[in-house]
Amino acid sequence: GAGVSQSPSNKVTEKGKDVELRCDPISGHTALYWYRQSLGQGLEFLIYFQGNSAPDKSGLPSDRFSAERTGGSVSTLTIQRTQQEDSAVYLCASSGFGTDTQYFGPGTRLTVL
Amino acid sequence: DQQVKQNSPSLSVQEGRISILNCDYTNSMFDYFLWYKKYPAEGPTFLISISSIKDKNEDGRFTVFLNKSAKHLSLHIVPSQPGDSAVYFCAVIYSGAGSYQLTFGKGTKLSVIP
């Protein structure tokens, strides 16, 4: 079946602009995660959605970052007023529940000039 | 302050030999541990996991060992194959009341030499 998909695969933007990154999880998966991998860094947890519960936003690095998940499926990560330090690969993953296996998408490479 | 440390950024192993990847963590409250493998230009793929109530989990060529007293996690790959060459991330999960946190190490690049 179809895995996790993300779009766009690459995004180049100018400093100060807003960007939206999209994630389509595996159908039926209740949990959805956003991560960021910056050059030379490990994977950084950003935000976690479980079903219709309020998301765990504890990993969001600043208030410029927000995410929503419509209808318990597709999720959008929005970065407002992008900064150069936001340049990274943004990865989305989904899982059946809680600590089940997480399946990752291919990521979106964001470059802020 | 890093909660999860992979102190070896890289490791080279001869094909057929054992690869041992190490990971240290700081919080004894972590209750689930995972290893991921990542190839260039791809997202990470889940490899193997272990819960805090166990000290060993084996899946084919891959075995994960957990030493809770030392707060140490290791992944053994036997025998190593060239296709195992990738970056390996350990990750820990804390699922306390009202929160769920997954923390990754910075990865170890494994190169298996034919």
Side-chain angles (χ1 to χ4, degrees):
Chain A
V4 178
S5 61
Q6 292 184 244
S7 61
S9 56
N10 280 285
K11 177 70 177 178
V12 180
T13 189
E14 293 179 348
K15 177 181 173 182
K17 295 286 182 68
D18 298 350
V19 295
E20 284 189 353
L21 312 178
R22 178 188 169 103
C23 172
D24 285 89
I26 293 172
S27 177
H29 277 189
T30 56
L32 187 148
Y33 313 80
W34 281 100
Y35 301 94
R36 175 171 73 174
Q37 183 174 16
S38 304
L39 189 64
Q41 301 293 318
L43 284 171
E44 176 187 10
F45 166 79
L46 296 178
I47 188 169
Y48 156 65
F49 296 88
Q50 175 58 52
N52 296 318
S53 302
D56 177 358
K57 303 180 181 179
S58 58
L60 293 177
S62 78
D63 58 8
R64 296 185 295 104
F65 287 72
S66 63
E68 61 179 30
R69 189 179 183 192
T70 54
S73 181
V74 172
S75 177
T76 302
L77 177 69
T78 301
I79 309 173
Q80 297 177 307
R81 305 181 303 280
T82 52
Q83 303 295 313
Q84 288 183 332
E85 61 263 28
D86 298 335
S87 295
V89 175
Y90 289 82
L91 292 156
C92 172
S94 70
S95 69
F97 180 78
T99 57
D100 284 353
T101 301
Q102 294 185 40
Y103 297 86
F104 281 80
T108 295
R109 180 175 295 279
L110 174 67
T111 303
V112 182
L113 302 177
Chain B
D1 187 29
Q2 285 182 259
Q3 296 187 72
V4 183
K5 295 182 182 179
Q6 292 178 255
N7 292 318
S8 299
S10 63
L11 175 68
S12 290
V13 174
Q14 206 71 32
E15 180 179 5
R17 298 288 185 96
I18 183 172
S19 295
I20 300 177
L21 299 148
N22 294 303
C23 179
D24 295 294
Y25 59 95
T26 57
N27 189 344
S28 60
M29 297 299 291
F30 293 136
D31 48 17
Y32 208 68
F33 306 84
L34 311 95
W35 283 96
Y36 285 83
K37 180 169 71 172
K38 183 181 182 300
Y39 295 112
E42 294 183 10
T45 56
F46 171 77
L47 199 58
I48 193 169
S49 64
I50 189 169
S51 74
S52 60
I53 63 173
K54 295 185 176 180
D55 53 21
K56 178 182 176 182
N57 187 25
E58 192 172 354
D59 183 3
R61 296 185 298 114
F62 302 91
T63 303
V64 56
F65 294 92
L66 177 62
N67 183 333
K68 289 184 286 296
S69 61
K71 298 191 185 67
H72 181 78
L73 184 72
S74 64
L75 174 68
H76 292 207
I77 307 174
V78 183
S80 302
Q81 299 173 354
D84 296 330
S85 297
V87 179
Y88 289 78
F89 293 91
C90 72
V92 300
I93 288 177
Y94 170 71
S95 54
S99 71
Y100 183 102
Q101 192 81 28
L102 175 67
T103 306
F104 283 87
K106 292 191 176 182
T108 296
K109 183 177 181 181
L110 174 65
S111 300
V112 180
I113 305 164

